[in-house]
């Protein structure tokens, strides 16, 4: 084909047929030092001379496009983690990316290029939720490095898409790997951690994100500044503190991201640029938000099968509590604006219809324990709540926390911990309200809305049914009602341990893992990691391992299979979990380690064979230098619907299957 004069004049950086490296190098060569530095701030300046528009790198999408108007709001990240469903995380992230693209291009057409309007997202948060006091634990996928890694990879892949040339949006695995509170000290605190904990707990999810999900990673320093410090880089270069070559290296990585997003190509060449604005907050996306909310719910207790309730046998229901009609608890933090909110009260009313009377009373607020300035007691709403409960056949209490009580530094007004929690108890007069209603001897269902564990020791002993609902997104009330009345069988599992009290925890500033999480905690928890009940029962059979001996350095993997059957009366989801325990290790190892999980949906009587493939790295131990070592010895494998600990056995009333493999041969060191 004959080349035109226009083609001949096309700069290399504007030519989509040239390689990515050629285009980026050509663009950088055209810029002055001042122009280069302007592109390293999150609010990158327009450079009309070379046709670069203004661009703001800062955007958020932990559980939906945040802070940019109406968008589908999914359950907060900790709730998504409770689904134990990688495919769900992928679908959710893909929808989020579609909405991000649709909104970005519509905004850009109108020259709105401000903050929260771009295609580079500071999500997901794959920090380890090591301490339940941390206010930002809601942004994470829980306390386990394997679960966090698997869900993080799925989420990143969903965001970035699978096109060979273009990214749908660019993900960022945040924050610093060893970062999980305290919030009040986060700008000055030095989180000291040993090499073993660093490699065994804090880094694995980041390794997975970079090596498997190909997230845009920082290789040799910080390329982009989310503050304003980099505005001083020109002075730093003049003083010899930073070289222009170093500036070019950072800029090269930044521009590669923008080129991969198609920002320098005609829109017709970028498939993601054609996603219509109408997909945003669409009915299809709302249905996925509902499914995500369903899968996030965890049934913690169901004494005498109180749940599900039969609305055909009930005339009146009392819905009580400060979270019963609270929109905040649907959202968590870093959220968009739902096209429609369904609170717990609204969801229950819609489900039971006009034939069942729903009596509502807040009872108390979330956190007040002392009289207000007018002298009104914090228990002044108890009388109304008790009147409703007395007239009802069952009481549903919606208690817990809210994003106003736990979150990021500066975002929580009513917290002594700067966003972190200083107590794990139900705040305010909520437990007193619960006890007062329970004293009426009516059936009580407790529903918790929170991101971090709550020490509900009295409720676990006295209340017959308890549901963990997290911050469930815009359709949270619908999903909750479906679970309460049996339209959906809950199958979520806890991605974080619920301790009984702060006495069971090391100091907040101690980043060592000893005594923390299910992997190293010695005390009995209130609710263990991986725990959750169902309205049906499941049987595990025929646990098989393709090899009972593993020769270090020769064998590449171990294949584990198990048959799972729904032996109960209704359809339901089961989360099959595989844990390892090293019996002969020469170093300290976790109590148990999650190394495989799979969520299944089975009809009554249906069976399915589940397969796990364990790679050598999963069979290794980590020594005090942070080195992964395959050592000779026995490794026990556990497979079931829960963790293989005594507390899970007592609460769930189920058993897990066990098998062992023997590793032989010389010690082998694996790559970091």
């Amino acid at each position: 084909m004959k080349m035109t004069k226009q083609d001949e004049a096309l700069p290399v950086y504007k030519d989509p047929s040239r390689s990515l490296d050629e285009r980026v190098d050509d663009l950088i060569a055209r810029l002055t030092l001042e122009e280069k530095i302007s592109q390293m701030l999150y609010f990158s300046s327009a450079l009309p001379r070379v046709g670069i528009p203004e661009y703001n790198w800062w955007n958020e999408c932990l559980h939906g496009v945040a802070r940019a108007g109406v968008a589908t709001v999914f359950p907060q990240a900790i709730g998504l983690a409770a689904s134990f469903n990688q495919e769900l995380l992928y679908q959710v992230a893909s929808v989020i990316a579609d909405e991000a693209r649709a909104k970005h291009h519509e905004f850009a057409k109108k020259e709105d290029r401000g903050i929260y309007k771009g295609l580079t997202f500071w999500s997901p948060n794959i920090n380890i939720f090591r301490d339940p006091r941390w206010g930002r634990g809601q942004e994470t996928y829980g306390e386990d490095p394997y679960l966090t890694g698997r869900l993080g990879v799925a989420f990143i892949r969903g965001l970035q898409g699978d096109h060979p040339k273009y990214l749908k949006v660019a993900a960022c695995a945040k924050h610093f790997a060893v970062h999980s509170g305290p919030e009040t000290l986060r700008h000055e605190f030095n989180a000291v951690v040993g090499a073993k904990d660093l490699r065994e707990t804090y880094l694995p999810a980041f390794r997975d994100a970079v090596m498997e999900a190909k997230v845009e990673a920082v290789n040799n320093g910080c390329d982009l500044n989310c503050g304003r410090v980099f505005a001083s880089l020109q002075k730093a270069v003049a003083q010899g503190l930073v070289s222009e070559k170093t500036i070019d290296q950072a800029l090269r990585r930044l521009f590669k991201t923008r080129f991969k997003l198609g920002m320098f190509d005609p829109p017709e060449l970028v498939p993601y640029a054609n996603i219509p604005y109408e997909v945003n907050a669409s009915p299809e996306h709302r249905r996925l938000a509902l499914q995500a909310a369903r899968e996030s719910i965890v049934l913690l207790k169901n004494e005498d099968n109180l749940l599900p309730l039969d609305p055909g046998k009930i005339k009146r229901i009392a819905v009580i509590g400060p979270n019963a009609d609270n929109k905040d608890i649907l959202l968590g933090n870093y959220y968009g604006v739902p096209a429609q909110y369904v609170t717990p009260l609204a969801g229950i009313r819609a489900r039971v219809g006009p034939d069942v009377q729903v009596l509502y009373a807040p009872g108390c607020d979330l956190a007040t324990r002392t009289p207000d300035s007018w002298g009104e007691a914090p228990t002044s709403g108890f009388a109304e709540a008790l009147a409703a409960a007395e007239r009802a056949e069952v009481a549903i209490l919606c208690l817990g926390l809210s994003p106003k009580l736990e979150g990021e530094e500066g975002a929580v007004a009513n917290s002594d911990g700067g966003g972190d929690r200083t107590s794990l108890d139900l705040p305010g007069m909520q437990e007193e309200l619960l006890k007062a209603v329970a004293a009426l001897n009516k059936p009580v269902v407790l529903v918790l809305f929170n991101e971090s564990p709550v020490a509900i020791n009295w409720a676990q002993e006295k209340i017959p049914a308890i549901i963990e609902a997290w911050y469930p997104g815009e359709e949270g009330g619908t999903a909750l009602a479906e679970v309460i009345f049996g339209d959906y069988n809950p199958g979520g599992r806890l991605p974080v341990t619920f301790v009984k009290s702060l006495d069971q925890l090391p100091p907040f500033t101690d980043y060592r893992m000893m005594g923390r999480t299910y992997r190293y905690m010695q005390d009995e928890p209130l609710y263990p990691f991986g725990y959750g009940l169902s309205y049906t029962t499941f049987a595990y059979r025929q646990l098989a391992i393709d090899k009972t001996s593993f020769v270090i350095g020769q064998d590449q993997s171990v294949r584990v299979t198990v048959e799972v059957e729904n032996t109960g009366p209704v359809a339901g989801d089961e989360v099959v979990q595989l844990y390892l325990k090293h019996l002969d290790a020469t170093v300290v190892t976790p109590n148990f380690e999650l190394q495989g999980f799979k969520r299944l949906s089975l009809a009554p009587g249906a069976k399915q064979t589940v397969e796990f493939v364990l790679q050598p790295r999963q069979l290794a131990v980590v020594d005090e230098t942070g080195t992964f070592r395959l050592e000779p010895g026995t490794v026990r494998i556990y497979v079931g619907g829960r963790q293989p600990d005594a507390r899970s056995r007592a609460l769930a009333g189920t058993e897990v299957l066990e098998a062992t493999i023997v590793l032989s041969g010389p010690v082998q060191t694996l790559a970091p």
Side-chain angles (χ1 to χ4, degrees):
M1 186 169 97
K2 189 175 180 180
M3 183 174 289
T4 67
K5 288 186 178 181
Q6 184 178 0
D7 292 329
E8 291 175 349
L10 192 67
V12 170
Y13 76 92
K14 289 187 176 181
D15 186 352
S17 69
R18 304 296 286 266
S19 74
L20 177 61
D21 286 331
E22 287 178 314
R23 298 178 72 185
V24 170
D25 289 344
D26 179 68
L27 178 56
I28 292 175
R30 298 169 184 267
L31 304 182
T32 67
L33 176 61
E34 183 179 6
E35 289 173 331
K36 291 174 183 177
I37 292 171
S38 77
Q39 301 302 294
M40 295 176 65
L41 304 174
Y42 77 85
F43 47 96
S44 301
S45 303
L47 300 177
R49 183 175 64 81
V50 288
I52 298 178
E54 172 190 356
Y55 182 69
N56 197 302
W57 288 80
W58 194 327
N59 213 337
E60 307 280 359
C61 68
L62 285 170
H63 57 122
V65 179
R67 300 175 174 176
V70 173
T72 305
V73 179
F74 295 91
Q76 176 58 298
I78 194 70
L80 292 173
S83 73
F84 275 66
N85 189 340
Q86 298 174 73
E87 179 58 31
L88 176 68
L89 271 286
Y90 177 87
Q91 292 174 1
V92 166
S94 183
V95 161
I96 292 171
D98 283 351
E99 295 195 2
R101 272 284 179 176
K103 293 169 83 69
H104 166 77
H105 292 296
E106 193 65 26
F107 295 147
K109 287 177 187 176
K110 296 173 173 57
E111 293 301 321
D112 185 352
R113 302 178 186 275
I115 193 169
Y116 309 129
K117 306 294 174 62
L119 295 175
T120 44
F121 286 88
W122 296 353
S123 305
N125 183 340
I126 55 173
N127 292 133
I128 296 299
F129 194 5
R130 66 178 181 94
D131 192 298
R133 286 167 283 202
W134 189 32
R136 300 190 72 177
Q138 62 180 287
E139 303 175 23
T140 76
Y141 298 134
E143 69 184 36
D144 182 74
Y146 180 81
L147 178 67
T148 298
R150 295 298 85 210
L151 297 183
V153 166
F155 195 84
I156 292 166
R157 285 176 170 165
L159 287 181
Q160 300 194 153
D162 57 4
H163 193 277
K165 182 177 181 180
Y166 296 107
L167 295 171
K168 189 186 288 190
V169 303
C172 170
K174 66 179 184 183
H175 302 84
F176 287 118
V178 187
H179 169 68
S180 50
E183 281 294 295
T184 55
L185 303 177
R186 72 180 191 174
H187 298 294
E188 60 192 69
F189 176 68
N190 182 21
V192 177
V193 62
K196 176 180 171 63
D197 286 335
L198 182 66
R199 294 288 178 180
E200 185 180 68
T201 298
Y202 293 107
L203 285 182
F206 287 89
R207 181 182 187 274
D208 292 347
V210 172
M211 298 189 70
E212 295 184 52
K214 311 301 180 186
V215 70
E216 300 305 298
V218 176
N219 295 325
N220 296 302
C222 183
D223 299 332
L224 186 77
N225 179 218
C226 69
R228 298 177 183 269
V229 175
F230 278 14
S232 301
L233 277 174
Q234 192 159 0
K235 292 181 180 178
V237 173
Q239 295 174 19
L241 301 175
V242 178
S243 71
E244 188 165 356
K245 181 180 178 181
T246 300
I247 298 290
D248 288 349
Q249 289 174 343
L251 196 58
R252 186 170 288 108
R253 288 189 287 267
L254 293 175
F255 273 135
K256 279 186 175 181
T257 298
R258 293 182 68 175
F259 273 95
K260 288 180 179 179
L261 288 166
M263 292 181 175
F264 295 87
D265 292 352
E268 59 269 19
L269 295 182
V270 186
Y272 301 129
N274 300 311
I275 296 174
Y277 184 76
E278 287 70 21
V279 306
N280 188 59
S282 65
E284 179 184 4
H285 291 180
R286 189 170 185 84
R287 286 192 291 271
L288 183 61
L290 173 57
Q291 182 61 27
R294 291 166 177 155
E295 294 195 27
S296 73
I297 291 175
V298 183
L299 181 61
L300 297 176
K301 186 179 180 184
N302 194 21
E303 190 175 275
D304 298 327
N305 295 319
L306 173 59
L307 296 176
L309 302 178
D310 183 351
K313 298 179 180 179
I314 298 173
K315 297 296 184 182
R316 289 193 187 95
I317 296 173
V319 179
I320 296 168
N323 279 338
D325 200 32
N326 183 357
K327 291 181 179 179
D328 290 339
I329 55 92
L330 301 178
L331 303 178
N333 69 355
Y334 287 100
Y335 56 86
V337 178
Q340 178 182 345
Y341 296 80
V342 183
T343 65
L345 177 63
I348 292 168
R349 279 179 170 159
R351 171 59 184 84
V352 299
D355 294 333
V356 179
Q357 184 180 12
V358 177
L359 305 173
Y360 164 60
C364 64
D365 68 17
L366 277 167
T368 303
R369 289 196 63 86
T370 58
D372 65 16
S373 58
W374 297 93
E376 185 174 30
T379 56
S380 62
F382 278 30
E384 181 185 40
L386 293 174
E390 287 170 346
R391 287 159 175 78
E393 293 148 86
V394 61
I396 300 171
L397 273 83
C398 299
L399 307 179
L401 307 173
S402 95
K404 293 183 177 179
L405 299 180
E406 54 182 354
E408 189 173 359
E409 177 202 33
V412 178
N414 300 318
S415 171
D416 295 330
D420 296 326
R421 298 171 61 203
T422 56
S423 170
L424 300 185
D425 297 332
L426 283 170
M429 301 301 294
Q430 292 186 64
E431 185 161 300
E432 287 83 351
L433 174 64
L434 178 63
K435 290 178 177 178
V437 174
L440 299 176
N441 294 318
K442 299 287 184 76
V444 172
V445 178
L446 169 60
V447 184
L448 294 174
F449 296 89
N450 52 288
E451 60 95 350
S452 56
V454 182
I456 52 166
N457 301 289
W458 183 88
Q460 169 58 26
E461 182 180 351
K462 302 294 186 179
I463 301 301
I466 305 175
I467 293 171
E468 173 57 70
W470 314 105
Y471 297 144
E474 62 187 55
E475 280 283 358
T478 305
L480 175 64
E482 290 181 345
V483 167
I484 288 175
F485 297 105
D487 305 308
Y488 184 80
N489 185 353
R493 298 292 194 273
L494 294 181
V496 61
T497 301
F498 279 44
V499 299
K500 294 179 178 178
S501 74
L502 287 176
D503 294 337
Q504 294 185 312
L505 297 173
F508 196 2
T509 54
D510 185 348
Y511 270 71
R512 292 175 298 178
M513 290 309 298
M514 293 307 297
R516 293 194 181 278
T517 77
Y518 82 96
R519 295 166 64 243
Y520 283 108
M521 184 176 176
Q522 298 302 313
D523 293 345
E524 180 184 82
L526 179 62
Y527 299 119
F529 172 91
Y531 167 70
L533 301 175
S534 171
Y535 295 154
T536 191
T537 56
F538 297 91
Y540 286 74
R541 306 185 185 95
Q542 300 179 21
L543 176 63
I545 303 178
D546 67 345
K547 60 191 67 163
T548 56
S549 61
F550 181 102
V551 180
I552 296 172
Q554 296 182 19
D555 298 311
Q556 298 305 308
S557 62
V558 174
R559 180 172 170 267
V560 181
T561 58
V562 69
E563 181 185 87
V564 184
E565 179 183 3
N566 182 343
T567 56
V570 296
D573 286 7
E574 174 72 337
V575 177
V576 184
Q577 302 168 53
L578 183 151
Y579 292 84
L580 301 181
K581 182 176 179 65
H582 294 270
L583 303 184
D584 305 311
T586 62
V587 298
V588 175
T589 59
N591 302 319
F592 307 104
E593 294 181 87
L594 180 72
Q595 290 294 347
F597 62 91
K598 175 68 175 178
R599 184 162 181 151
L600 310 176
S601 295
L602 295 174
K607 302 176 183 178
Q608 185 171 332
T609 297
V610 179
E611 178 181 288
F612 299 103
V613 178
L614 299 173
Q615 301 300 331
R617 187 179 187 84
Q618 294 178 272
L619 299 171
V621 299
V622 182
D623 66 19
E624 294 303 321
T625 69
T627 302
F628 280 77
R629 296 159 46 95
L630 280 170
E631 295 185 345
T634 301
V635 178
R636 181 163 292 151
I637 295 175
Y638 306 85
V639 180
R642 59 169 178 82
Q643 188 193 149
D645 66 304
R647 180 61 173 168
S648 295
R649 182 184 299 111
L651 289 171
T654 60
E655 297 298 328
V656 299
L657 302 182
E658 300 181 16
T660 58
I661 58 173
V662 177
L663 279 62
S664 61
V667 172
Q668 180 177 336
T669 299
L670 304 181

